[in-house]
Amino acid sequence: NGKNTLNVRQVVAFILMVVLSQACPEPIRYSVIEETESGSFIAHLAKDLGLGIRELTARSARVVSDDDKQRLQLDRQTGDLLLREKIDREELCGSVEPCVLHFQVLLETPVQFFEGELSIQDINDHSPVFPTGEMLLKIPENSQPGTLFPLKLAEDLDVGSNGLQKYTISPNSYFHVLTRNHSEAKKYPDLVQDKALDREEQPAFSLTLIALDGGSPPKSGTITVRILITDVNDNAPEFVHTPYEVQVLENSSLDSPVLSVSAKDIDSGNFGSVSYGFFQASDEIKQTFSINEVTGEIRLTKKLDFEHIKSYHVEIEAIDGGGLSGKGTVVIHVVDVNDNAPELTISSLTNSIPENAPETVVSIFRIRDRDSGDNGKMICSIPDNLPFLLKPTFKNFYTLVTESPLDRESRAEYNITITVTDLGTPRLKTQHNITVTVSDVNDNAPAFSQTTYTLRVRENNSPALHIGSVSGHFPGHLVDVSGAGTLSQSYQYDVCLTGDPRTDISLELPLLKNWRNDRAHFCDLKGHWYDNSYNLE
């Protein structure tokens, strides 16, 4: 039954998390230009949220981001949203457009979330850059006008109109450049032959290829294109398949084979021999994969991480002995495995709670799993034998609250284990322990074991005679007059008579200042007359 109850709680928590995340209002949206100075004003957040300045402070308002870096800050004195640091759009988003920084505004007492988006606007702060300063192109002399020759492309980290727009080449009567759009939104330059070549008339060319972006004024990058006119090799290599597609597990071992590519050239001799290589591969691709020049086999040279890169588009090249080349594409899909345990981050924590208090927030925390699919889905739970509840609050945020008022005299301390488990195979989990102490309030009065005690003593007794004892229970904490000790047990006190029998007779309870014993002695210091009775309250 306990196991079934736990499962039900987990399912209910998961459903509530999904429902709450879907019921959130539209996020507030702002924009800022990249490279804006830190401390710059973005918006009057308090006004946009309809909150007062005092409410921001009283509810401990703060801004949290989806990633670990806190690039934004909230000025609680003014209610303004400010930049904590300069933001480089290219560093934050790379080539992704639009570039959006997601954040949340968290308020406590009661817990409330607002979702926000900050759009980072690009500026033209990068020029197009070629991978090298020079490239060599071999063209057979029998190449026909209209033939296209792929050239090396430039990279521009800016996006949109500030990104790479077109290519041009230094004026000449034999070639011009065609700018071709690729399916990945990249622009490739193709050299187009305008008229027939004659190696004996002009065996080589040296041209300058220029890459221009769309800024105002535009920025540019250049590369020198050296063209050698070769003897006839009239067939370029062609790949048997293109594009190639393959799936690779992210936990594949180093040097494991990915796939083999193959190209054919119908020419004979040296013109028909083919060598393989990457075509304008990025540093990431060069570090992650290798290709055998002779066999075309691609192997893994660096560990894969699905959470970092989900797929690779690798351009490959087959070159024959005469310098002709054929191009192909290999698409490598990284398959996710459950290699990341869930993460739990505490946002706020209260370690001490007064007894008899109504529902109280103990902690607010966020869970995250860097895997995807079922590997990234999570279940959050606590033991079901504790008077606490987990409440899904906002997206992956949870609130730990008391289920009912606590009683310190029944239990003064609780150790709560929060367990986050993903749904991958094998399942991974993370546990976080929280200790909560219950502070005492004065909700119990002292009580004697009897309401009335009757003690008898013979007349003419000797001094310091022990008469009897009374006992009482003192729950909670009692501090003596000197403040030196604390009592929370049952105590027994000895009773004795004092006073002069010839005058008014009284009963006294001596109080020991240092509470050295749990017994305060009453001694019959003097003899007493017969048939006297005394009442002590």
Side-chain angles (χ1 to χ4, degrees), residues 149-292:
F149 304 94
L151 300 177
K152 290 189 176 182
L153 72 155
E155 294 281 351
D156 192 332
L157 296 179
D158 293 321
V159 297
S161 61
N162 292 325
L164 178 63
Q165 298 298 316
K166 65 178 181 178
Y167 296 89
T168 63
I169 203 164
S170 54
N172 67 93
S173 59
Y174 287 89
F175 305 96
H176 74 273
V177 166
L178 175 67
T179 301
R180 180 167 51 89
N181 292 324
H182 194 269
S183 58
E184 294 181 21
K186 293 184 178 180
K187 296 185 182 297
Y188 285 79
D190 283 335
L191 186 67
V192 183
Q193 182 180 333
D194 292 329
K195 66 178 184 179
L197 304 173
D198 187 352
R199 181 179 180 277
E200 287 68 34
E201 179 181 336
Q202 187 171 352
F205 297 85
S206 181
L207 305 176
T208 300
L209 178 64
I210 305 169
L212 296 168
D213 66 19
S216 181
K219 296 181 181 293
S220 63
T222 62
I223 185 176
T224 299
V225 181
R226 291 180 57 237
I227 302 174
L228 296 181
I229 309 302
T230 63
D231 282 334
V232 174
N233 176 24
D234 56 347
N235 289 285
E238 293 182 359
F239 283 97
V240 177
H241 302 288
T242 188
Y244 292 86
E245 288 201 39
V246 66
Q247 293 184 337
V248 182
L249 294 176
E250 69 170 329
N251 61 349
S252 297
S253 58
L254 294 178
D255 201 42
S256 59
V258 177
L259 83 162
S260 293
V261 297
S262 177
K264 295 186 179 299
D265 191 324
I266 61 175
D267 290 327
S268 61
N270 188 47
F271 292 150
S273 64
V274 176
S275 62
Y276 301 92
F278 295 132
F279 178 71
Q280 277 196 256
S282 65
D283 291 338
E284 180 67 28
I285 289 176
K286 291 178 183 177
Q287 294 169 8
T288 308
F289 305 99
S290 66
I291 185 170
N292 188 298

Side-chain angles (χ1 to χ4, degrees), residues 319-337:
I319 304 175
D320 66 18
L324 293 181
S325 63
K327 303 297 186 295
T329 302
V330 177
V331 181
I332 302 172
H333 299 283
V334 182
V335 179
D336 185 40
V337 297

Side-chain angles (χ1 to χ4, degrees), residues 63-113:
V63 174
V64 295
S65 300
D66 286 346
D67 57 7
D68 296 331
K69 290 186 178 181
Q70 295 299 324
R71 297 181 173 89
L72 305 175
Q73 63 182 8
L74 175 62
D75 187 344
R76 295 182 186 171
Q77 303 300 319
T78 64
D80 294 337
L81 181 65
L82 307 175
L83 277 178
R84 185 187 292 271
E85 63 182 20
K86 278 186 178 181
I87 297 180
D88 185 347
R89 195 209 69 82
E90 288 74 28
E91 178 184 351
L92 180 64
C93 297
S95 60
V96 176
E97 183 67 10
C99 179
V100 177
L101 175 63
H102 297 273
F103 66 92
Q104 295 85 35
V105 182
L106 168 61
L107 296 94
E108 298 183 14
T109 321
V111 176
Q112 189 176 11
F113 285 86

Side-chain angles (χ1 to χ4, degrees), residues 318-372:
I319 304 175
D320 66 18
L324 293 181
S325 63
K327 303 297 186 295
T329 302
V330 177
V331 181
I332 302 172
H333 299 283
V334 182
V335 179
D336 185 40
V337 297
N338 194 22
D339 59 344
N340 290 283
E343 301 171 5
L344 188 151
T345 304
I346 298 292
S347 295
S348 68
L349 177 64
T350 302
N351 292 107
S352 180
I353 298 175
E355 66 176 334
N356 299 330
E359 179 177 288
T360 304
V361 175
V362 178
S363 177
I364 301 173
F365 60 91
R366 180 181 67 180
I367 61 175
R368 177 176 64 174
D369 193 318
R370 298 179 185 273
D371 291 316
S372 64

Side-chain angles (χ1 to χ4, degrees), residues 500-514:
D500 189 341
R502 292 168 297 178
T503 61
D504 293 335
I505 298 175
S506 63
L507 291 173
E508 297 181 358
L509 175 64
L511 177 63
L512 302 182
K513 290 184 179 181
N514 58 1

